[in-house]
């Protein structure tokens, strides 16, 4: 039975205490390590010698492709014991660059990606929940512990021609996949520990903006991540599009991640939790879980989802989204349930958030590029222990939830929620074990 809830708010001191008491623990009740409270910026002066690329023959010329010359500076830095590769004031055009152990990137000017896919190396990499041959990113770091990207400059993916071609392909063939429209990512970091990306502007990515695979202890601090949400009209089309699949931060088989103080506006999801897809995804050695992630003090413009779990995810737990504001987000918490993949999403907390959105909570089957295999013992996917508390939102649909025989939902809680909801579809009885406390829906 659909229920309309108008319940008295509890006393402010009790609210404050409840809010603070939750901040020191993960949703499973274990303590959050002190590492997640350390938001001190990396001081690049302590990282070694600066290798300013213009000191080694690279020219300040936005039209001259200089991949080899910039890569030579990175390699020299590594050979001489490590240090900081500096992009000075100006604009420098490049294809895929590969950082080595002991090297770091400091961006003061603009590192700009080539708009020709031929300038990006084709290699074995990770993409869309698979390990396959695809194109390297503009900035690549694999197996580098302590890698840092910093500076107030810009890494610019120069994506317009890639976006235009993608939408042109889709107009010709609506079934065209993301991978068929060949596009590089902006930043790809894999198999690395103690990574910090701070202060930098990451913009105009042809594909995903930041993709991290099998990394741990990662910090994104005060970054500006943006791609156009409109303004692209390919030849022969009349519809205005945004930058396709320009996800802000994709966490793929990662754990212990802090995303703090960032601004995100992209034409897809903001923070996305991934880990593999397919009927046998839970058995594949290249796949893995995402856990112990905090996203806090971030601001969102237009995004498809502030926090999106899946669709290429297997097991996700201990995730916190808190102290955020959003303006015109399509969704806030989006749990993509992929029927062709066994999935387990649990112990996710959303707290102290406010803003305007299309839908607040979305749980629906996700069938993009759906490809079920033959598996007699296919597990039923599960989603449980989702805790939503202390929210103030205006939305079109607060509770956009659908059931399915492919997944089980249970144990949701809604506490201290002040909601303006045009759809007025909140039905806590739809999810077994749902608890509501001090929920007011107008």
């Amino acid at each position: 039975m659909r229920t309309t809830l108008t319940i008295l708010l509890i006393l402010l001191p009790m609210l404050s205490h409840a809010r603070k008491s939750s901040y020191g623990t993960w949703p499973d009740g274990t303590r959050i390590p002190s590492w997640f409270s350390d938001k001190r910026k990396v001081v690049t002066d302590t990282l070694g010698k600066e290798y300013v690329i213009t000191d080694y023959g690279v020219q300040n010329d936005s039209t001259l492709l200089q991949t080899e010359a910039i890569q030579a500076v990175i390699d020299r830095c590594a050979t001489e014991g490590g240090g900081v590769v500096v992009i000075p004031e100006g604009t420098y055009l490049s294809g895929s660059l590969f950082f080595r152990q002991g090297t770091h990137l400091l961006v003061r000017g603009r590192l700009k990606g080539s708009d020709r896919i031929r300038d990006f190396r084709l290699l074995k990499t990770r993409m869309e929940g698979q390990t396959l041959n695809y194109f390297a990113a503009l900035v690549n770091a694999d197996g580098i512990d302590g890698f840092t990207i910093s500076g107030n400059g810009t890494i610019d993916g120069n994506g317009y021609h890639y976006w235009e071609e993608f939408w042109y392909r889709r107009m010709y063939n609506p079934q065209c996949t993301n991978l068929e429209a060949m596009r590089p990512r902006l930043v790809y970091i894999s198999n690395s520990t103690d990574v910090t990306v701070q202060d930098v502007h990451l913009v105009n990515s042809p594909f995903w903006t930041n993709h991290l695979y099998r990394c741990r202890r990662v910090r994104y601090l005060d970054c500006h991540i943006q791609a156009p949400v409109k303004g692209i009209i390919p030849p022969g089309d009349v519809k205005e599009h945004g930058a396709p699949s320009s996800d802000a931060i994709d966490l793929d088989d990662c754990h212990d991640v802090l995303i703090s103080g960032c601004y995100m506006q992209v034409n897809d999801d903001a923070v996305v939790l991934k880990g593999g897809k397919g009927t046998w995804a839970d058995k594949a050695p290249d796949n893995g879980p995402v856990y112990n992630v905090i996203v806090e003090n971030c601001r969102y413009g237009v995004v498809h989802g502030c926090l999106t779990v899946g669709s290429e995810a297997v097991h996700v737990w201990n995730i916190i989204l808190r102290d955020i504001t959003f303006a015109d987000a399509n969704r806030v918490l989006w749990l993509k349930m992929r029927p062709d993949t066994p999935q387990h999403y649990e112990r996710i907390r959303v707290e102290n958030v406010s803003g305007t959105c299309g839908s607040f909570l979305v749980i629906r089957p996700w069938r993009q590029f759906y490809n079920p295999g033959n598996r007699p013992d296919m597990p039923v996917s599960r989603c449980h222990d989702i805790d939503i508390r202390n929210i103030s939102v205006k939305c079109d649909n607060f509770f956009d939830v659908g059931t399915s025989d492919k997944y089980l939902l249970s144990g949701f809680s809604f506490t201290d929620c002040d909601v303006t909801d045009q759809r007025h579809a909140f039905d806590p009885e739809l999810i077994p074990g749902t608890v509501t406390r001090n929920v007011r829906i107008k």
Side-chain angles (χ1 to χ4, degrees), residues 145-160:
D145 295 334
F147 180 60
T148 298
I149 300 175
S150 61
N152 292 312
T154 300
I155 302 177
D156 182 349
N158 191 23
Y160 185 86

Side-chain angles (χ1 to χ4, degrees), residues 132-397:
L132 73 176
N133 287 326
Y134 200 68
F135 298 94
L138 174 59
V139 174
N140 301 270
D142 179 61
I144 300 181
D145 295 334
F147 180 60
T148 298
I149 300 175
S150 61
N152 292 312
T154 300
I155 302 177
D156 182 349
N158 191 23
Y160 185 86
H161 292 297
Y162 294 105
W163 307 326
E164 186 181 63
E165 181 182 353
F166 175 89
W167 290 118
Y168 194 70
R169 281 173 174 263
R170 275 285 171 91
M171 185 173 61
Y172 172 74
N173 175 17
Q175 301 305 313
C176 170
T177 68
N178 282 330
L179 297 179
E180 288 170 336
M182 299 178 291
R183 300 170 289 158
R185 292 154 288 178
L186 195 68
V187 174
Y188 178 61
I189 303 172
S190 54
N191 303 299
S192 299
T193 302
D194 293 318
V195 173
T196 298
V197 182
Q198 63 188 37
D199 300 323
V200 71
H201 286 61
L202 301 146
V203 303
N204 299 329
S205 180
F207 206 167
W208 295 353
T209 305
N210 297 274
H211 181 192
L212 295 105
Y213 173 61
R214 288 200 165 160
C215 294
R216 63 188 179 98
R217 291 203 300 271
V218 175
R219 303 186 306 160
Y220 272 75
L221 306 176
D222 299 327
C223 294
H224 180 101
I225 304 171
Q226 191 165 7
V229 297
K230 58 182 180 179
I232 299 146
I233 305 178
D237 202 351
V238 294
K239 184 178 179 181
E240 190 174 37
H241 301 278
S245 303
S246 48
D247 299 356
I249 302 175
D250 289 282
L251 304 177
D252 183 357
D253 190 1
C254 294
H255 63 89
D256 295 286
V257 178
L258 173 66
I259 300 169
S260 179
C262 296
Y263 173 78
M264 290 171 268
Q265 175 165 293
V266 293
N267 192 52
D268 211 316
D269 300 322
V271 178
V272 193
L273 310 184
K274 298 181 177 288
K277 70 176 180 180
T279 305
W280 299 92
D282 56 332
K283 304 294 185 181
D286 289 345
N287 298 335
V290 176
Y291 60 95
N292 293 359
V293 177
I294 297 178
V295 182
E296 64 181 12
N297 300 314
C298 292
R299 295 180 300 114
Y300 299 81
V302 176
V303 294
H304 289 189
C306 294
L307 175 64
T308 301
V309 185
S311 66
E312 301 129 15
V314 179
H315 192 187
V316 172
W317 75 91
N318 273 353
I319 311 299
I320 298 175
L321 177 70
R322 67 189 182 194
D323 300 325
I324 68 162
T325 59
F326 42 87
D328 298 321
N330 298 142
R331 306 160 188 87
V332 177
L333 177 60
W334 192 1
L335 306 175
K336 291 182 177 179
M337 309 304 296
R338 190 178 187 99
D340 63 354
T341 301
Q343 297 174 315
H344 186 186
Y345 305 160
E346 60 173 325
R347 306 194 185 281
I348 299 171
R349 183 192 303 148
V350 178
E351 60 184 330
N352 197 27
V353 306
S354 62
T356 59
C357 60
S359 298
F360 183 83
L361 171 65
V362 180
I363 309 173
R364 296 283 180 184
W366 181 261
R367 291 188 172 88
Q368 186 180 46
F369 312 128
Y370 179 59
N371 186 26
N374 182 19
R375 182 176 179 180
D377 66 339
M378 179 72 170
V380 175
S381 293
R382 294 177 290 153
C383 181
H384 60 89
D385 292 297
I386 310 300
D387 181 11
I388 296 170
R389 60 173 73 180
N390 192 38
I391 67 168
S392 178
V393 297
K394 294 182 179 180
C395 52
D396 296 331
N397 191 355

Side-chain angles (χ1 to χ4, degrees), residues 9-23 320-326 332 348-355 360 386-394 398 413-419 435-440:
L9 294 174
I10 63 175
L11 295 175
L12 286 177
M14 294 175 65
L15 258 174
S16 176
H17 174 73
R19 189 155 62 241
K20 289 178 181 177
S21 64
S22 69
Y23 273 38
I320 298 175
L321 177 70
R322 67 189 182 194
D323 300 325
I324 68 162
T325 59
F326 42 87
V332 177
I348 299 171
R349 183 192 303 148
V350 178
E351 60 184 330
N352 197 27
V353 306
S354 62
F360 183 83
I386 310 300
D387 181 11
I388 296 170
R389 60 173 73 180
N390 192 38
I391 67 168
S392 178
V393 297
K394 294 182 179 180
F398 175 65
S413 64
F414 299 85
T415 306
D416 302 322
C417 300
D418 190 359
V419 180
V435 176
T436 61
R437 303 182 186 91
N438 303 310
V439 177
R440 181 168 62 188

